[in-house]
Each structure stands twice: as C-alpha cells, then as structure tokens.
Amino acid sequence: MADIVKPRDAKDVEDAVRFAVSNETALEVVGAGTKRGIGRPLQTDMTLDLSGLSGIVLYEPEELVLTAQAGTPLAVIEEAVRAANQELAFEPIDYAPLFGGAAGGGTIGGVIAANLSGPRRIRQGAARDHFLGAKGVTGRGDAVKTGGRVVKNVTGYDLCKLIAGSWGTLAALTEVTIKVLPCAETETTVVVHDLDDKTAMRAMAAAMGSSFDVSGAAHLPDHIAAHFDGLPEEGASTCLRVEGFAVSVKHRRETLAALLAPFGRVSFVEAESSRALWRSIRDARPFAHGQGLKRPLWRISTEPMRGADLADLIPPSAQMFYDWAGGLVWVGMPVEEEPDAAAIRSAVAAIGGHATLVRAPVAARAANDVFPPQEAGLAALSKRVKDSFDPNGVLNPGRMWAGI
Amino acid sequence: MSVRMPPVDQAVLDRRAQIVAALRQIVPGEGVIAAEREMRPFESDGLPAYKQLPMVVVLPETTGQVAEVLRYCHANGIKVVPRGAGTSLSGGALPLADGVLLGMAKFNRVREIDFDNRVAVVEPGVTNLAVTKAVEHEGFYYAPDPSSQIACTIGGNIAENSGGVHCLKYGMTTNNVLGCEIVLMTGEILRLGGKHLDAGGYDLLGVVTGSEGLLGVVTEITVRILKKPETARAVLVGFTTSEDAGECVGRIIGAGIIPGGMEMMDAPAIHAVEEFVHAGYPLDVEALLIVEVDGPQAEVDDLIGRVEKIAQDCRSTVCKVSQSEEERLLFWAGRKAAFPAVGRISPDYYCVDGTIPRGQLPLVLRRMRELSEHYGLRVANVFHAGDGNLHPLILYDANVPGELDKTEEFGAEILKLCVEVGGVLTGEHGVGVEKRDLMPTMFSQIDLDAQQRIKCAFDDKGLLNPGKVFPQLQRCAELGRMHISGGKLPFPDIPRF
C-alpha cells in the first residue's frame, strides 16, 4: 500500500514534489480520486492527495471570475456560483458514476486536469476554454504560475492549455482561476422522434447551422434512449437544446421545431425535465448502471457528420449514442472486460478523430492504449513536453502513454 | 528606438551569398528576395518604430518548401522570423539582421468549406475577413474580428491569439481554431487537431496558439464558423463619470446579459472620433458605452429594454438605441475609426494594450490622468469594456526629440499599473519585442523558465523568432538541468496516512 501525503498548502505540495524528485519517488496525483480508473495503470510509490487544498479564494460575479484552491470540491464551487445565478458554462461531466462511485464528488483541479466538458462543448467549449490561470508545482519541484484572472490575456505562452487535459502528468495544480457565466433563465429541448442515425446527423447539422444558438445536440438511438432521463417517450430521440431568456427560448423553440419538422415528428421537453435529460447525456448515464460497469466504455471525438459512420464499423451489439451534433460518440462494449481495441481503433482511423478507452479493467488498460495512439513525430513532441515539465517522471508517470 | 536583439551571427552573414543560393534551390523564381530595395517593405510590421532589414526574404508556396527551408536553416544554424501580413502591433514579425524572413503571404487559398461540420480549412495567408467572405453567402462568419481584419492573416491570428470586439461572447482565436498543420524548426510536419473537438493527448494546438511564431510555422488551419445571429442592435449610452459607466457594465453582466460587444471611450476619444466620423456621439459626456446585443429579434428587443433600464439606474445622461441597421453601423463606425481619428489630432500616437479586472477601471483611469500630466502627453482611451481590455492611445510627436522615449516610458508605466491591479501586460496585441522586457513584472524567472522549456521542446536550437517574448534567452541544455538538492523528507508535519 502506497503512502499517502496530504499537503495543507501550496508550499507543502512543493516540498512533497521536491522530496519525490530527490528520492526518485513516483507520485500519484489525486484530488478526490473520482477519475482514478481512467488512464494506464500507475505504479507509484506515494499518493499526493490534494484534497486538503480546499476553498474559494476569490469570486467576483460581476467580473465573471472565480479562483479556488485546486482541491476544492466542485460541489462547493457550483453552490457558490449558483447563489449568484452563474455556472461553469462548460458543463463538466461527472465521471464517478461510470466507475460505480457517488455523483457530485470531484474537485475543480480534477475538472481542469482532465479538461472535462459536456453537451455545451459545441457552443461554450471545454474546461480549457474557461481556464484563465493556474498555480502549480511542476515535476521539477518548481512552483509556477501561468495565465491570470482576466479573460483576455496573451501574455506569454498559454500553458493553461497544456495543463488542461494533461491528467496530472505535467504539474500538481494548487490553485486555478476560471471564467464563470450567467445561468440561462430557462431552457427547452426540441426532440425529433424515430430518426435513424444518419438522418439524425443531418437534422442536427441543420439545427447547428441555424442562427438559433443550439447549446446541445444529441442523438439517442432506439436501443439506448430509454436509459436517459426526462424523455417523454421511448424510441430514438434526437435532442436539440435552446437556452437563454424566456422570450428568446420561446421564439427559438418554435422556429427550430419548424426547421426540424421535415425530418420527423417533433415534441418538446421543458425546463426541469430538459435539465435532467442533459445531465444524463452529459454523464453517459446508460453506461453507469450496476450490471454494465464491467463493460468497457469508449469516448470517441470525430467530425460530426462522420459520427454515424462509426455505427457500421464497430461490433453490432455495442451500445452507442451521439453528443456534440454527432462529434462525440460514446460506445459501450457488449462483452465484459473486453475493450476490443483493435476494432475501435481501426474504425476511428477510418473516420478520423480519436478514441479514449474511458473504462476498462486494469489488465486491459495495461495491455491497450487508453489515450489515442500518436504518430511518431507527435509522440516524440509530447514526450519532450512531458520532459520539460517533469524530466524525472515523478507526476503520474505513464498515465497517458509509456513515459508520459 | 532601440531594443536589444540576439547577437548577430557574423559567420552566418559571411555565408549570405551561399545561403541565398541554397534557398533559391528550395524556393525557385521570385520566392527569394535578396535585393535591399526589395526587402524594404519587410523591415518592420505594425510597430513601425522598430526597423531591421532581414538577411533575406523567402516566400514559400508549399508546405514542402516551408519544411525544406526550415530544415536547411536548422542544419545550418540560421535564425528564421515568420511573417503573415505584418500587422503585429508588438513587433512580432520584426526581422533579424542575420535571419531569414519567412513570409507566408502566398499561402492564400481557402482549401475547403464544410458547412455541415461548420468548419473552414484555410491556408495561413488568408486574411481574417476573407474567411468570413468565403462563407457569408450561406449566412456564416468567422467570429474573431481584430480591428486589422481586412489585412491581418489567419496565420498571424494563430500566432497572436487575436481577439476583437466580440471576444466576450464568442471567444478569441484559441476558442475558434480546431486544427492545424505545423512545421517545426527541424522541418518536421505535424498535424494537430482536425475537424473534431479536443486533443486526444496534450493540447499542443492550444499552446501553439498565441506563441508568437516561436514554436513552429503553421501551414494550414481549420477554423470553426458560425451562423450569423438573426439580428443585432446597439445602444449608445453616455455618462458624466467613468465610474458610472463602469458600474453600468458590471450591472449588465450581473443581470445575466452577455452582449455581443461592449465598448467604452473616454472624452478625448469621443471628441476625436465625432469630429472625424460624425457618428452622432454626445460631446458633453465623460464616458460613452456602445452595447450591442445580438440574437433573435424578440430577444434583442427584450434585452435592449433591460440595458436601457440599467443605464438609467446608473445615471446615464444619454441613451440612444439604434433604430436601423444603418444607425447601428454608424455607432460602430465611430468606434472602429478611433485609431485613425486620434491619428488626425496628433502627429503620432502609440497604442497600449493591457487588460485589467473591469472593476479597477476608475482607479486605472485616474492614475492614467496623473501619468498623463507627469509626462506632459495626452491620452485617449478606448476600452473593450466587457473583457477589461484597455487601449490607451498616447499622443506624441516623433519629431520632438525625446518624445518617443517618453511615450514608451509612459506606456510601460500604464502596463505596470495593469499588472499591479491584477491584470496583464497584453490582452490581444502580444508581447513581441515591445513588451518583452516587461515580462518580469508579471512572471518570476521560474515562470519564464517553464515557458522557455516549452520553446525548447519545439525548437531546441532557439532559431525560430528569437528575441521576441522572452527578455533573456537561455540555452536549452541549461534550462533542462535539475537544481534540486537534498533528499530529506521535507515535510514531517504534512499529514500522512
């Protein structure tokens, strides 16, 4: 059992990493540990538990900015911003239930380190797009800061972008500054019923190509639709969300419904049901049910219009649904503990984009690439970036790829 | 004006004829320019106070040529400065006496427009506005709109992470770029991203964007295009104090409204603009806001009403809503002509670019007035009020000895003030050579070293655009060394389990 070290402040984190460097100790960097199951299995000597670095440092709603210690629970931040009628507009997925954990447990540092996002990715971006500044300790034991607390900033390299989505392999975050935005006054989802996957992609493209400011576009095929919340009826459902001021939502839902009517029968999901629906889409809820937890899960990002082509290329008994207007495909494999990486990788190679093996048993994650394999030049550059931050490989070594 | 640049490599200059010949082998015909007279147009960019003739100008036409040029220069230890349209306001494309100036202007084709996936694939020499022109027949546009959009190129936009007046709602370049083809200094060609979202690994595209041409040369770019909003209306609001205007901006955002654009001008800017454009701006106010909301007609009308109410609550003395598209464009015409308008009332002006937390605006304006008196130089302010990006324009006369130096000093004081109140040195114009030596006011040497190590990961010989961004050039071998000493457990008090 590895040691656990729980720093109280940023200085402790610096000390811990310096100790690790001096003693050739590999650290597992965790916040609340809700995404521990993602990545290649780690062989570390010590766990660096950042959950002790907790608390909101600054929140100025009128400036749309919030700074928090990296280990602050996301729930604490969400509660604080909700009180000012604001939110994290990038709608971060809660991965915990996909691993059998309780919902609502992650930290803001984990949200950033994994570059989380949700259905609103297509309109508001991912964590990377809302991540203004950070303090952290690199694998050299250097306490560094990058970015700032203002939205518009081009001073020096944007290291925030590298840190977002680096899964703790470059720096142990101690403090992050993010942009927050006003909550929408209300929302409605326009549902088109009973479309096949390819027609659904066209319907979503039409909606996204309109001026109706669609903030969520998902297609839930017939075989899986019943597992989502908030839908009025079973059967394939193509869901388009409009959010904003009530007067605007009312106008856009009508015009959007008229635009989509030629594709199929249309109905509406209002306010609270709509929110429940998109939460279940965000969290890939159909794959979070007890008996399915052992089935490997893939998350595939591709060009939206190619999303449906994937259905023809993967094992027919796999379960799947589409978010991001077709650009994000979740694929749940039919056989427990069998990720069938060869089939998925070759399918994704054919349509473009990349696939991440989000959930699989340890042995499968050791035997297969979890993150998308990179061609040689890109892999070498990624390794050089890793080495620039963490030359001795003390931070989550090997979590993304061998040596990274 | 002088700025310390990397030492000139005399050995390279001595081989100039040989280098020019080798480059002509790679880029035939008129693609290599070596005559001094013909190189003149390249000696400076949008920051004309700095001038330097390059050793040679190369204008490649294909990715293969770019790769060959870079590979040759890497092998022979020759510095390279990439250039788009040369509109940088921070000297980002300032040539080096012993360097190749790599002009990307011939990469000017729109390669693909894909409306279904809402992306355009363009070459880096395509202008910002040309992207919108290429897609507007279907009602689409490219969101980032820097003031120089008629001339500046997408490649340059990537280098600088360009913004514009619509950033608050639609983001900067980095939020609107999905992929690129990039050539490293070694000549290696890589693809980052594509038509899909997010990187599968490290977000290298994210760090290349805004790297000011120091990491690689981009040869193809995939950008996101958006459908134009159904309609847009603007309100012109005047205040007797900048405090009231600042409060109005805060309250609009506090009310959950994110305007498509929200711009502020102070009295000197308003007067200069009104004389020039006759946009109907009130002249008896200290601060003027332009607030534009866009979206469906019903939403826009509703929000305009809310903005008017907030403006009244903030003691506005003038509040004028655009009643037609012509009037909306007229409101903007004034703001967009602010720089040339100021250019009419002064022989020269110097544009500063810092960002502050919005709430600090009254303090910053007050301190700026004090500085203005101290230096005896007038200032006109235009301000992207929504995102806190300030553009003070310092009025000076370059023919008065010493006035340019005084202006630069004044500008540096303003930027230091921005950092002091929690802001940053540059919001959208970049560090370049202009703000390079101010970087230590914002970053420690440790912070800067972390950034320079990224430079080393991309360009280990430091040959690509050296002398920009970083005040001190360091050797990658030295930066790579670890300086950690001791092996004791340094945290006996940290809770362990």
Side-chain angles (χ1 to χ4, degrees):
Chain A
M1 187 67 191
D3 261 349
I4 299 174
V5 174
K6 190 171 177 181
R8 297 154 305 188
D9 56 27
K11 185 71 180 77
D12 280 353
V13 177
E14 197 180 331
D15 284 346
V17 176
R18 285 175 170 251
F19 169 80
V21 173
S22 298
N23 292 277
E24 297 178 9
T25 301
L27 297 173
E28 181 197 20
V29 186
V30 299
T34 56
K35 293 177 281 293
R36 254 181 168 152
I38 303 179
R40 299 170 77 242
L42 290 175
Q43 291 179 328
T44 51
D45 311 302
M46 190 179 270
T47 294
L48 183 63
D49 174 354
L50 296 174
S51 63
L53 276 68
S54 183
I56 294 172
V57 177
L58 169 151
Y59 174 37
E60 294 179 3
E62 287 195 354
E63 302 272 352
L64 304 175
V65 63
L66 181 144
T67 300
Q69 293 197 69
T72 310
L74 182 61
V76 168
I77 288 171
E78 287 185 329
E79 191 186 327
V81 298
R82 198 158 42 234
N85 204 28
Q86 294 186 335
E87 64 183 355
L88 308 191
F90 55 96
E91 215 176 7
I93 176 178
D94 184 353
Y95 268 115
L98 290 172
F99 296 89
T107 64
I108 189 66
V111 167
I112 297 295
N115 188 30
L116 300 187
S117 62
R120 219 182 273 124
R121 175 71 182 88
I122 49 177
R123 180 162 173 272
Q124 290 285 5
R128 76 185 283 278
D129 298 290
H130 299 251
F131 180 28
L132 303 179
K135 291 179 183 168
V137 179
T138 68
R140 297 174 165 270
D142 288 339
V144 299
K145 71 167 183 304
T146 180
R149 54 157 292 190
V150 291
V151 178
K152 223 166 162 186
N153 176 13
V154 295
T155 320
Y157 293 151
D158 191 354
L159 299 187
C160 288
K161 294 288 183 296
L162 279 180
I163 290 168
S166 66
W167 294 86
T169 62
L170 300 180
L173 288 170
T174 57
E175 184 184 288
V176 300
T177 298
I178 55 171
K179 179 168 92 168
V180 294
L181 283 170
C183 291
E185 198 170 278
T186 189
E187 67 177 71
T188 291
T189 298
V190 179
V191 182
V192 191
H193 296 278
D194 304 321
L195 302 186
D196 63 59
D197 293 6
K198 290 200 167 69
T199 310
M201 299 301 126
R202 291 209 311 278
M204 290 191 287
M208 292 306 299
S210 76
S211 58
F212 305 135
D213 218 357
V214 171
S215 70
H219 173 62
L220 317 174
D222 186 37
H223 72 270
I224 202 169
H227 296 289
F228 292 89
D229 298 335
L231 285 173
E233 54 186 281
E234 292 186 1
S237 302
T238 309
C239 308
L240 289 314
R241 176 174 63 180
V242 286
E243 298 174 283
F245 292 100
V247 55
S248 173
V249 168
K250 183 167 176 290
H251 165 79
R252 285 182 286 147
R253 56 169 257 174
E254 298 305 330
T255 40
L256 190 57
L259 176 79
L260 294 170
F263 290 96
R265 188 167 51 85
V266 169
S267 69
F268 299 107
V269 177
E270 304 292 353
E272 202 41 58
S273 297
S274 173
R275 279 187 275 274
L277 169 63
W278 289 98
R279 266 196 305 276
S280 64
I281 292 171
R282 181 194 75 181
D283 294 343
R285 195 69 55 76
F287 303 116
H289 291 295
Q291 72 276 30
L293 290 177
K294 285 189 174 165
R295 296 194 191 131
L297 180 62
W298 292 88
R299 184 177 183 272
I300 298 163
S301 177
T302 184
E303 68 181 80
M305 293 307 285
R306 296 304 303 272
D309 295 344
L310 207 58
D312 303 329
L313 299 170
I314 61 171
S317 48
Q319 289 187 302
M320 61 196 295
F321 77 92
Y322 309 84
D323 196 356
W324 299 357
L328 178 67
V329 190
W330 289 94
V331 179
M333 302 307 287
V335 181
E336 286 188 0
E337 310 199 351
E338 176 47 80
D340 206 353
I344 298 294
R345 297 277 180 219
S346 78
V348 174
I351 63 165
H354 54 80
T356 301
L357 178 55
V358 166
R359 181 177 68 196
V362 169
R365 284 184 284 125
N368 296 286
D369 273 317
V370 169
F371 290 90
Q374 297 185 309
E375 55 91 13
L378 206 51
L381 180 56
S382 297
K383 173 68 173 148
R384 295 198 296 274
V385 168
K386 165 73 172 177
D387 288 347
S388 77
F389 278 86
D390 181 20
N392 292 19
V394 298
L395 301 176
N396 282 350
R399 187 172 192 186
M400 296 182 76
W401 298 280
I404 294 182
Chain B
M1 198 170 334
S2 70
V3 63
R4 184 179 40 82
M5 293 305 281
V8 171
D9 188 337
Q10 191 56 45
V12 166
L13 281 184
D14 291 346
R15 283 185 286 136
R16 182 172 185 266
Q18 184 196 335
I19 291 166
V20 169
L23 291 169
R24 286 197 204 282
Q25 289 291 313
I26 301 169
V27 184
E30 296 174 346
V32 174
I33 302 171
E36 184 182 323
R37 187 176 45 81
E38 292 171 45
M39 293 199 297
R40 276 288 163 214
F42 299 93
E43 70 179 354
S44 66
D45 56 18
L47 188 67
Y50 296 90
K51 286 186 173 55
Q52 173 61 57
L53 270 184
M55 175 172 67
V56 56
V57 175
V58 180
L59 306 173
E61 287 183 65
T62 66
T63 301
Q65 288 176 352
V66 172
E68 279 300 308
V69 169
L70 293 181
R71 189 175 301 126
Y72 169 79
C73 290
H74 184 259
N76 290 279
I78 302 163
K79 302 178 187 105
V80 176
V81 175
R83 176 183 167 113
T87 58
S88 168
L89 294 169
S90 56
L94 180 70
L96 295 167
D98 57 347
V100 171
L101 187 84
L102 191 69
M104 297 300 288
K106 291 188 175 175
F107 282 76
N108 59 2
R109 288 184 312 129
V110 174
R111 288 190 179 168
E112 186 191 352
I113 297 167
D114 179 346
F115 288 111
D116 281 340
N117 285 308
R118 299 164 300 284
V119 298
V121 182
V122 303
E123 295 179 350
V126 172
T127 64
N128 174 291
L129 194 61
V131 179
T132 290
K133 293 277 178 213
V135 298
E136 66 183 359
H137 62 284
E138 291 284 341
F140 283 80
Y141 75 114
Y142 175 60
D145 58 344
S147 322
S148 54
Q149 68 180 153
I150 190 166
C152 67
T153 63
I154 292 291
N157 289 179
I158 295 253
E160 303 294 330
N161 188 17
S162 304
V165 298
H166 291 97
C167 287
L168 180 65
K169 187 165 180 182
Y170 297 102
M172 316 236 312
T173 300
T174 190
N175 313 110
N176 288 280
V177 171
L178 297 178
C180 75
E181 178 185 74
I182 184 171
V183 187
L184 302 188
M185 192 62 216
T186 52
E188 196 176 356
I189 302 166
L190 299 178
R191 278 202 166 267
L192 307 176
K195 290 183 180 180
H196 56 275
L197 292 168
D198 292 335
Y202 292 146
D203 187 357
L204 300 168
L205 178 63
V207 78
V208 163
T209 307
S211 64
E212 306 200 19
L214 271 72
L215 298 185
V217 177
V218 166
T219 47
E220 182 191 279
I221 299 144
T222 303
V223 299
R224 184 171 80 121
I225 52 173
L226 298 174
K227 191 79 169 200
K228 281 190 173 151
E230 205 174 295
T231 188
R233 287 178 85 185
V235 201
L236 214 51
V237 197
F239 300 89
T240 53
T241 68
S242 60
E243 280 83 355
D244 287 347
E247 184 187 333
C248 184
V249 170
R251 284 220 216 162
I252 289 170
I253 287 170
I257 302 168
I258 301 294
M262 185 147 56
E263 296 290 307
M264 194 190 292
M265 283 177 273
D266 69 359
I270 299 165
H271 284 258
V273 160
E274 186 55 23
E275 271 171 40
F276 183 36
V277 181
H278 308 297
Y281 290 176
L283 295 173
D284 55 348
V285 297
E286 279 302 311
L288 185 70
L289 275 185
I290 306 174
V291 184
E292 176 167 292
V293 291
D294 57 18
Q297 187 75 48
E299 172 177 346
V300 167
D301 292 346
D302 178 53
L303 293 185
I304 286 285
R306 295 187 199 209
V307 169
E308 279 184 293
K309 174 76 174 59
I310 292 167
Q312 280 161 14
D313 291 348
C314 295
R315 300 162 295 281
S316 65
T317 53
V318 179
C319 190
K320 199 152 100 182
V321 179
S322 68
Q323 299 301 328
S324 64
E325 184 63 6
E326 290 71 35
E327 194 173 15
R328 182 184 76 85
L329 294 174
L330 184 62
F331 288 179
W332 279 111
R335 166 59 185 89
K336 289 194 171 172
F339 290 14
V342 166
R344 285 174 77 238
I345 61 169
S346 172
D348 298 283
Y349 69 89
Y350 179 71
C351 177
V352 187
D353 163 50
T355 307
I356 56 170
R358 254 185 293 101
Q360 302 287 348
L361 180 67
L363 170 74
V364 169
L365 288 180
R366 197 159 55 240
R367 293 270 297 276
M368 224 187 290
R369 278 195 291 273
E370 289 163 18
L371 287 168
S372 167
E373 278 171 31
H374 173 78
Y375 285 101
L377 294 167
R378 288 182 296 160
V379 186
N381 266 291
V382 296
F383 183 45
H384 301 303
D387 44 36
N389 189 196
L390 280 174
H391 291 314
L393 305 169
I394 303 174
L395 315 189
Y396 73 101
D397 183 348
N399 289 324
V400 176
E403 200 155 290
L404 175 56
D405 289 340
K406 214 162 62 166
T407 300
E408 282 202 302
E409 207 179 301
F410 184 5
E413 287 303 316
I414 293 173
L415 293 179
K416 286 180 201 164
L417 174 61
C418 290
V419 174
E420 187 189 316
V421 301
V424 299
L425 290 173
T426 171
E428 56 184 356
H429 295 174
V431 176
V433 292
E434 187 203 24
K435 304 173 200 86
R436 185 191 72 187
D437 295 336
L438 291 172
M439 287 289 271
T441 62
M442 202 171 137
F443 296 112
S444 71
Q445 193 56 47
I446 290 175
D447 301 334
L448 290 172
D449 285 352
Q451 295 187 31
Q452 289 210 52
R453 286 192 193 97
I454 294 300
K455 165 73 169 165
C456 293
F458 280 79
D459 171 22
D460 66 337
K461 292 188 183 174
L463 291 171
L464 201 52
N465 217 6
K468 317 290 167 68
V469 182
F470 299 109
Q472 264 184 313
L473 289 177
Q474 301 197 60
R475 293 192 171 279
C476 291
E478 176 55 33
L479 281 168
R481 275 191 203 117
M482 295 281 280
H483 298 285
I484 290 201
S485 56
K488 67 184 169 59
L489 193 64
F491 42 86
D493 303 336
I494 303 180
R496 294 167 64 110
F497 304 95

